[in-house]
Amino acid sequence: MKRLLVTGGAGFIGSNFVRYLREQRPLWHVTVLDKLTYAGREENLAGLESSKESFEFVRGDICDERVVAGCVRDGGADTIVHFAAESHVDQSIVNPYVFTETNVRGTQVLLEAARAAGIERFHYVGTDEVYGHVASPGRSSEDHAFAPRSPYAATKAAAEHLVHAYGATYGLPVTVTRGSNTIGPHQFPEKAASLFITNAIDGEPLPIYGDGLQVRDYMHVDDHCAAILAVLERGVVGEAYNVGTGVETANIEMARTVLEALGRPASLVRHVTDRAGHDRRYALDTSKLRSLGWKPQFAFDAAIAVTVRWYAEHEEWWRPIKSGAFRAWYEQQYRERLAGS
Ligand code: NAD
Ligand code: DAU
């Protein structure tokens, strides 16, 4: 039995990971440490409170050394899976300082606590954005140089450098996954897929940045979770693993697939002013992860279809978000853009 500290476990991928573990490794003990920022929601973990002997929720900040130490010392955890982050590129363009604080300093606080407690494994949930734009037909393998271009990606790259540095300098047993664009239940509707799906359900326009020909690798969250578990159990300490399906999809195609799935007209697509410094293409070589026996279970169309169905069936989850504080963000980001489209 393992004892995991899952940071950011009330967010999108973290909460899906905790549920995934419940099914796959029911005997493992999980403590979630989450600050519950706007993106973290306790209801994402609803139902888990009942398994008190194997699940615990701590509301706290990864930048708070006392709270973090309290979660890992005295056998509190033997493994840390670190998801907690500010995760939205557009937010990082508007409000970058909190990204450095949480993503870089917060990661270092966790690394220090892991070192002091003699943790068995520190797993960092990284991103393919560290490679920056990748020209076609190239694919980034794990030894590809980092070239992050947004404040978000730069902080994720900086934190990942710290993770490897603690491995090399202090012998901390670290592993890293660098995941592609993930979609599925409980994704905060600021991200393209969840925004497009919920807008489409309401018959609202889908704001596509620029020409919409930017390429992403949209992966179902269960595949991302399975990859992290595979690396935890079979990955080599000190190594990083790319995680993605290998399928390239233009954003405009993703939007059209969403509209088709919901029976909405293609005319809902609106081309709006592009994101500053928008990376044109991400593409990963995932052979290293596949050699651990992992392969994606969801084709692109299936990943979109099940995700669309989840949002259609769980309006009670996303409607209060979209009509609440998120509204101000949406107005600020999209009002002028949509008016000029
Ligand atoms: P998210 O924004 O949905 O969740 C982030 C969680 O971290 C939230 O629950 C939030 O409350 C928590 N958090 C933020 N600051 C915190 C702090 N200071 N202390 C404690 N908790 C804090 O993000 P996500 O999309 O689930 O991403 C999770 C991780 O996966 C991130 O590290 C992200 O960089 C990485 N990642 C995401 C994707 C993707 O497509 N979403 C792809 C690859 C990697
Ligand atoms: O690649 C992994 C990364 O994927 C993760 O590290 C990030 O945490 C996650 O947010 C995601 O980053 P992106 O910037 O790629 O995701 P986002 O959903 O914001 O945008 C996906 C694409 O869609 C991107 O090319 C920008 C575009 N887009 C986004 C929004 C929000 C639009 O065209 N319109 C929009 O309104």
Side-chain angles (χ1 to χ4, degrees):
M1 188 186 104
K2 286 195 171 299
R3 291 185 71 83
L4 263 64
L5 176 66
V6 177
T7 71
F12 162 47
I13 309 176
S15 61
N16 278 284
F17 182 69
V18 172
R19 287 185 192 287
Y20 184 79
L21 280 187
R22 271 282 145 273
E23 284 167 20
Q24 301 292 325
R25 300 291 179 269
L27 297 181
W28 289 11
H29 185 279
V30 172
T31 301
V32 165
L33 172 61
D34 200 296
K35 185 179 177 181
L36 298 182
T37 66
Y38 76 93
R41 315 195 71 84
E42 244 181 311
E43 63 262 34
N44 291 352
L45 296 166
L48 290 163
E49 316 85 323
S50 56
S51 47
K52 276 205 172 53
E53 62 297 331
S54 58
F55 176 78
E56 204 182 326
F57 178 79
V58 177
R59 183 173 189 177
D61 191 331
I62 58 165
C63 298
D64 184 330
E65 292 159 47
R66 198 184 44 81
V67 169
V68 170
C71 289
V72 296
R73 70 172 167 237
D74 303 329
D78 50 49
T79 302
I80 297 177
V81 184
H82 175 31
F83 290 94
E86 289 293 336
S87 67
H88 190 35
V89 171
D90 291 323
Q91 290 273 3
S92 83
I93 294 169
V94 176
N95 187 20
Y97 278 125
V98 67
F99 282 72
T100 311
E101 175 68 7
T102 289
N103 298 2
V104 185
R105 207 179 87 74
T107 299
Q108 189 163 20
V109 169
L110 284 162
L111 287 164
E112 278 296 324
R115 185 160 87 87
I119 228 84
E120 287 170 20
R121 179 68 72 84
F122 185 100
H123 182 80
Y124 177 71
V125 182
T127 172
D128 63 357
E129 299 207 5
V130 294
Y131 299 120
H133 163 74
V134 184
S136 184
R139 287 183 175 271
S140 312
S141 54
E142 287 80 357
D143 54 5
H144 202 107
F146 281 15
R149 286 162 29 90
S150 70
Y152 162 73
T155 60
K156 291 294 290 183
E160 193 188 321
H161 282 310
L162 278 171
V163 171
H164 292 300
Y166 272 65
T169 308
Y170 305 112
L172 193 71
V174 299
T175 44
V176 172
T177 40
R178 297 183 190 138
S180 69
N181 286 66
T182 306
I183 63 173
H186 294 128
Q187 181 171 44
F188 198 81
E190 64 190 350
K191 307 283 167 41
S194 43
L195 179 69
F196 292 176
I197 292 169
T198 53
N199 276 16
I201 289 172
D202 279 345
E204 294 281 333
L206 277 52
I208 299 274
Y209 293 161
D211 60 13
L213 297 179
Q214 308 86 2
V215 167
R216 294 292 185 269
D217 176 343
Y218 289 100
M219 163 171 64
H220 191 272
V221 67
D222 286 354
D223 282 330
H224 197 158
C225 294
I228 293 170
L229 183 57
V231 171
L232 274 181
E233 296 190 320
R234 302 190 293 283
V236 175
V237 165
E239 295 291 315
Y241 295 82
N242 289 339
V243 186
T245 68
V247 176
E248 298 184 30
T249 305
N251 291 332
I252 186 94
E253 195 185 330
M254 187 270 282
R256 286 183 186 137
T257 309
V258 165
L259 290 169
E260 268 169 36
L262 284 162
R264 299 286 191 207
S267 57
L268 283 179
V269 163
R270 296 291 152 74
H271 291 273
V272 300
T273 311
D274 209 347
R275 170 186 281 176
H278 197 169
D279 284 332
R280 198 75 183 154
R281 175 175 177 266
Y282 301 138
L284 294 173
D285 173 347
T286 59
S287 49
K288 189 171 169 184
L289 176 65
R290 284 171 188 260
S291 75
L292 298 182
W294 176 91
K295 63 175 195 275
Q297 302 299 312
F298 290 83
F300 170 75
D301 283 349
I304 292 286
V306 295
T307 304
V308 163
R309 198 176 320 130
W310 187 86
Y311 283 88
E313 290 172 356
H314 291 86
E315 296 194 4
E316 82 291 348
W317 182 82
W318 58 267
R319 280 209 186 280
I321 296 175
K322 286 193 90 172
S323 59
F326 176 76
R327 197 77 224 156
W329 166 255
Y330 192 79
E331 290 286 312
Q332 178 200 323
Q333 275 291 109
Y334 296 103
R335 199 204 315 210
E336 271 183 34
R337 278 171 151 153
L338 283 168
S341 68

